[in-house]
Amino acid sequence: VKNLNVVGAQVDAITSSGAAVIAGSIFGSGDITDCSVSDAVVKGNHYVGGIAGYVYGNITNCFVTSSELTAIPDDTSGSYDNGDKVGGIAGYAPLDSDNYISGNTVSDVSIKGYRNLGGIVGTGSTLIKNNTVSDISITHDRSVISEAPSSGNESGIIVGNRSTQPYNPDNKNNEVLGTIMVDDPEVLSSLSWVGVKGLVSEVVLGAGEYKIPAAFKEKTLTITSSGKDTIIKVVPGGQGEAGGQL
């Protein structure tokens, strides 16, 4: 798919294969290039993305702006599950040595779900590079399942969760700009392994206890609390996450 621009899409689906505007899923190394989505509202039970939901392929030079992406847990199996894997570009992009998500931009987008939320990819270990997120919000919804996930929220500004795979060492040059609103400490921690090039941003934190990861080294960062009793731990000259100096 190439050069497709979609404005005002409304998607509401319960599916096992993904909910998104351009493609619910990509299999067999398909490509989506130079497409844009704006003013969209996408709701699904999992694998929710602005461009594609479930991705075995490549997404390059696409834009998602002024949109709302939400995953809501379902009870199709007899008990509530899912509500996960929501990303500004792709919901789920598993490891594949030949595939990549590169050169995309997500701006002014609300990302909401139970767990596994990311500005570019909700869950993924594929190559993720040269992407930009700005002015997004990441919100964990406990209205359907009140308990926190046993493994944590596993969410991040670029990528939410890398599943059981190691991070791709070639992830690089992902950029964070504007105002980022987050409600959970885990959202910051993933910046250590997604190759952040630059961070010139205000991060608005919900209530909680946060560690400042090594990815913030020598970045311009303003932190504002949006909740009660937000605690930010910084050890001057000490080791940050992944061994970086703070």
Side-chain angles (χ1 to χ4, degrees):
V1 181
K2 188 174 183 179
N3 298 327
L4 178 61
N5 303 310
V6 182
V7 179
Q10 304 280 321
V11 179
D12 192 343
I14 295 179
T15 175
S16 61
S17 58
V21 175
I22 303 297
S25 57
I26 305 174
F27 291 104
S29 298
D31 293 291
I32 298 177
T33 305
D34 297 321
C35 294
S36 70
V37 170
S38 61
D39 301 309
V41 176
V42 182
K43 297 179 181 179
N45 52 331
H46 62 167
Y47 307 140
V48 176
I51 298 296
Y54 194 114
V55 178
Y56 271 108
N58 307 313
I59 302 177
T60 56
N61 300 327
C62 292
F63 293 82
V64 178
T65 60
S66 304
S67 297
E68 299 176 11
L69 311 173
T70 304
I72 302 170
D74 64 75
D75 62 351
T76 56
S77 63
S79 60
Y80 279 105
D81 193 9
N82 299 318
D84 59 345
K85 301 177 178 64
V86 188
I89 296 297
Y92 182 48
L95 182 66
D96 189 300
S97 60
D98 297 324
N99 294 338
Y100 50 85
I101 293 177
S102 177
N104 305 286
T105 298
V106 175
S107 178
D108 187 26
V109 171
S110 167
I111 296 166
K112 185 176 181 179
Y114 177 57
R115 62 186 176 195
N116 306 150
L117 316 176
I120 298 295
V121 177
T123 295
S125 299
T126 195
L127 177 59
I128 299 167
K129 64 179 183 178
N130 302 326
N131 301 286
T132 299
V133 297
S134 66
D135 300 314
I136 66 169
S137 65
I138 297 175
T139 305
H140 296 87
D141 184 4
R142 297 285 181 271
S143 62
V144 177
I145 303 176
S146 59
E147 298 86 1
S150 58
S151 58
N153 294 318
E154 299 172 330
S155 300
I157 296 174
I158 301 292
V159 182
N161 176 25
R162 59 180 182 261
S163 190
T164 58
Q165 303 293 335
Y167 74 92
N168 192 316
D170 292 324
N171 287 345
K172 59 185 179 181
N173 294 337
N174 294 297
E175 193 163 22
V176 180
L177 303 171
T179 299
I180 310 298
M181 300 187 68
V182 302
D183 69 346
D184 186 88
E186 288 186 15
V187 175
L188 297 185
S189 64
S190 72
L191 289 175
S192 296
W193 50 267
V194 293
V196 174
K197 176 181 70 172
L199 186 83
V200 182
S201 184
E202 178 181 55
V203 179
V204 180
L205 306 177
E209 185 172 303
Y210 292 76
K211 284 185 178 180
I212 305 301
F216 286 106
K217 180 186 177 185
E218 298 177 357
K219 311 298 182 186
T220 301
L221 176 68
T222 301
I223 299 176
T224 305
S225 173
S226 63
K228 288 185 177 181
D229 303 321
T230 297
I231 300 170
I232 300 168
K233 290 192 172 182
V234 177
V235 181
Q239 296 293 313
E241 292 186 10
Q245 291 290 324
L246 292 174

